[in-house]
Amino acid sequence: DSGVTQTPKHLITATGQRVTLRCSPRSGDLSVYWYQQSLDQGLQFLIQYYNGEERAKGNILERFSAQQFPDLHSELNLSSLELGDSALYFCASSSRWLGEQFFGPGTRLTVL
Amino acid sequence: AQKITQTQPGMFVQEKEAVTLDCTYDTSDQSYGLFWYKQPSSGEMIFLIYQGSYDEQNATEGRYSLNFQKARKSANLVISASQLGDSAMYFCAMSQREGSSNTGKLIFGQGTTLQVKP
């Protein structure tokens, strides 16, 4: 158990819908990272928050947004979903930059 | 551009033998971290081992060791005494700063599938 929690574990929805993925980092970790894993793109960095502030952005679509709350949990919002958004979405947390990142169990999103 | 290359899509190893998974990286930064993660068929990403770019000693964690050759920009994972439970996908990853900001986003290789034979 990495100490990072993600909910829900599975999500099935239809095209055009909006979903919210939730992540709670390990106790004391200020950095939260979101990654997407798909068969064609592999593992890709989406966005990072540090203590409530956006710190870095990767290949994140404009239809996607995220935030980190004062209690340090984070949410990833995916809207106007398309079939191609089906993927495994991971949240990771870290206590030091450039250091180890511990991953949550992931949310498997299926868009039908 | 930063890049991680894993040239072995799949590998087999006999139980109880050692195996080396290859990883090369490309960066112009001096400060970076190198990681290996294991992803079993259940899907979770399990952190195995970390090597900082300034660490002089190769990192070891139990049966895992990281063979860090900075000049060659390689960070191979060595698993000793393979077990059936080691069968999984293994990802090499690198973290580095982005500009002046303290971000350590990970860049991943394509992964190597390891199968341990009884």
Side-chain angles (χ1 to χ4, degrees):
Chain A
D1 186 352
S2 67
V4 179
T5 61
Q6 284 187 253
T7 56
K9 197 166 174 62
H10 300 278
L11 200 47
I12 301 174
T13 188
T15 54
Q17 295 298 305
R18 173 190 169 94
V19 297
T20 297
L21 313 183
R22 184 188 167 104
C23 166
S24 292
R26 292 188 321 158
S27 177
D29 286 356
L30 300 180
S31 276
V32 169
Y33 301 79
W34 286 96
Y35 295 89
Q36 179 194 60
Q37 185 179 29
S38 61
L39 283 174
D40 52 344
Q41 301 282 346
L43 268 158
Q44 290 211 353
F45 166 73
L46 294 178
I47 197 165
Q48 179 206 358
Y49 278 82
Y50 177 82
N51 203 19
E53 293 186 3
E54 182 184 301
R55 190 55 65 95
K57 255 184 175 178
N59 297 327
I60 187 166
L61 300 170
E62 284 191 13
R63 301 183 284 108
F64 295 2
S65 65
Q67 54 184 328
Q68 186 180 27
F69 295 86
D71 67 352
L72 301 178
H73 91 270
S74 178
E75 292 180 357
L76 179 68
N77 300 296
L78 315 177
S79 62
S80 302
L81 286 167
E82 302 175 359
L83 296 177
D85 298 328
S86 295
L88 189 51
Y89 291 85
F90 286 108
C91 162
S93 75
S94 175
S95 60
R96 56 192 183 112
W97 73 287
L98 296 189
E100 317 69 337
Q101 292 182 23
F102 294 92
F103 281 68
T107 294
R108 187 170 295 278
L109 174 66
T110 303
V111 182
L112 301 176
Chain B
Q2 306 87 29
K3 191 177 179 182
I4 292 280
T5 302
Q6 294 179 252
T7 56
Q8 307 152 314
M11 288 194 69
F12 290 92
V13 65
Q14 208 66 35
E15 193 179 9
K16 298 180 185 174
E17 292 188 350
V19 63
T20 298
L21 306 184
D22 294 340
C23 173
T24 57
Y25 61 93
D26 188 18
T27 180
S28 54
D29 249 18
Q30 297 302 309
S31 295
Y32 50 90
L34 295 160
F35 310 79
W36 279 91
Y37 286 86
K38 172 184 178 182
Q39 186 174 39
S41 57
S42 51
E44 69 266 34
M45 291 287 286
I46 302 167
F47 166 73
L48 294 179
I49 196 166
Y50 163 81
Q51 178 89 38
S53 58
Y54 293 113
D55 295 340
E56 294 185 355
Q57 303 266 12
N58 285 343
T60 59
E61 289 286 348
R63 295 186 298 111
Y64 305 108
S65 60
L66 197 151
N67 185 358
F68 181 44
Q69 298 190 35
K70 199 169 182 176
R72 293 187 177 186
K73 293 188 175 178
S74 75
N76 298 339
L77 176 70
V78 180
I79 306 175
S80 63
S82 297
Q83 301 172 356
L84 295 178
D86 294 335
S87 295
M89 177 81 89
Y90 289 81
F91 289 97
C92 180
M94 176 172 65
S95 69
Q96 60 182 106
R97 76 166 74 224
E98 185 164 276
S100 58
S101 67
N102 284 354
T103 179
K105 68 176 186 180
L106 293 179
I107 301 164
F108 288 87
Q110 289 304 304
T112 296
T113 300
L114 177 67
Q115 292 194 32
V116 181
K117 293 182 172 181

